[in-house]
Amino acid sequence: MDMTSLMASHFDDAIDTFKTSSRELAQPLSAAVDLLFGALANNGKILACGNGGSAADAQHFIAELVGRFERDRLPLAGIALNTDTSILTAVGNDYGFDAIFERQVSALGQPGDILVAISTSGNSANVIRSIEAAHDREMQVIALTGKGGGQIGEFLTDADIHLCVPHDRTMRIQEVHIVLLHALCDGIDALLLGDNL
């Protein structure tokens, strides 16, 4: 295979992944919009977390809520749990890396808030512990995963929403995750701004 063919294969694989994801995830994605909007409309907030590329996605998502997505509107309450280096290093040093999100969810989460937990593998220990802490705080969870959902799928309840990308390759999962997060923002804005759906 030459380099041009290799590059073209990425587009083909991405297109196939997006089509499969559309069929499998449109309905739970719509339910996730309703869940997030309901929380925000009732003075709740959105907490988001992830590691590596998923940390960047969590931060990006919260920036779209607090700032704006495509249209001007009031800021929406959200916190990315992977952005405060003092908390991350203090908790990591004192309690271990697996506790960095759990401690923040326990400190900041309230009943009616939502945790958006992002892990391409579904096996990130610190994300799993954040989900457990969210449940302890009577919060619902929207989990974005791939690779079959990993261990996270086992920790979710019927009240949670699982957006599991049907692919095993990290790059494809991350590509769909950003579309899912953008779609959530667009759906929230549509409800908030009274679009005809």
Side-chain angles (χ1 to χ4, degrees), residues 12-92:
D12 293 337
D13 190 33
I15 289 166
D16 290 343
T17 305
F18 280 118
K19 286 182 177 179
T20 305
S21 297
S22 172
R23 289 191 296 271
E24 295 187 16
L25 300 179
Q27 189 283 325
L29 186 60
S30 176
V33 170
D34 290 338
L35 188 63
L36 291 168
F37 179 76
L40 293 166
N42 287 288
N43 294 316
K45 60 185 173 297
I46 312 305
L47 305 179
C49 66
N51 298 289
S54 298
D57 287 345
Q59 189 171 341
H60 181 164
F61 176 57
I62 296 301
E64 306 282 22
L65 296 179
V66 175
R68 67 170 190 170
F69 183 52
E70 292 185 322
R71 295 179 283 175
D72 283 330
R73 54 150 166 75
L74 293 173
L76 303 174
I79 303 168
L81 304 180
N82 42 264
T83 58
D84 189 321
T85 55
S86 293
I87 291 175
L88 297 178
T89 55
V91 173

Side-chain angles (χ1 to χ4, degrees), residues 17-18 21 25 29 49-51 53-55 57-58 60-61 116-122 143-147 152 162-167 169-184:
T17 305
F18 280 118
S21 297
L25 300 179
L29 186 60
C49 66
N51 298 289
S54 298
D57 287 345
H60 181 164
F61 176 57
V116 176
I118 309 173
S119 170
T120 57
S121 68
L144 280 68
T145 68
K147 303 182 183 184
I152 283 177
H162 193 184
L163 301 172
C164 181
V165 178
H167 207 287
R169 201 164 179 186
T170 297
M171 73 167 91
R172 293 288 97 88
I173 297 164
Q174 289 176 329
E175 288 160 1
V176 176
H177 278 182
I178 195 61
V179 172
L180 295 174
L181 293 169
H182 278 163
L184 291 173

Side-chain angles (χ1 to χ4, degrees), residues 97-166:
F97 189 71
D98 290 352
I100 60 172
F101 302 138
E102 171 192 25
R103 296 284 293 184
Q104 294 183 76
V105 172
S106 295
L108 301 170
Q110 298 292 327
D113 292 344
I114 306 295
L115 174 68
V116 176
I118 309 173
S119 170
T120 57
S121 68
N123 294 321
S124 301
N126 56 11
V127 176
I128 290 170
R129 285 178 59 171
S130 76
I131 291 170
E132 294 177 300
H135 290 154
D136 289 344
R137 302 293 291 166
E138 299 179 21
M139 297 168 57
Q140 289 172 274
V141 176
I142 298 170
L144 280 68
T145 68
K147 303 182 183 184
Q151 296 174 44
I152 283 177
E154 302 168 17
F155 283 89
L156 300 176
T157 70
D158 290 341
D160 300 324
I161 296 174
H162 193 184
L163 301 172
C164 181
V165 178

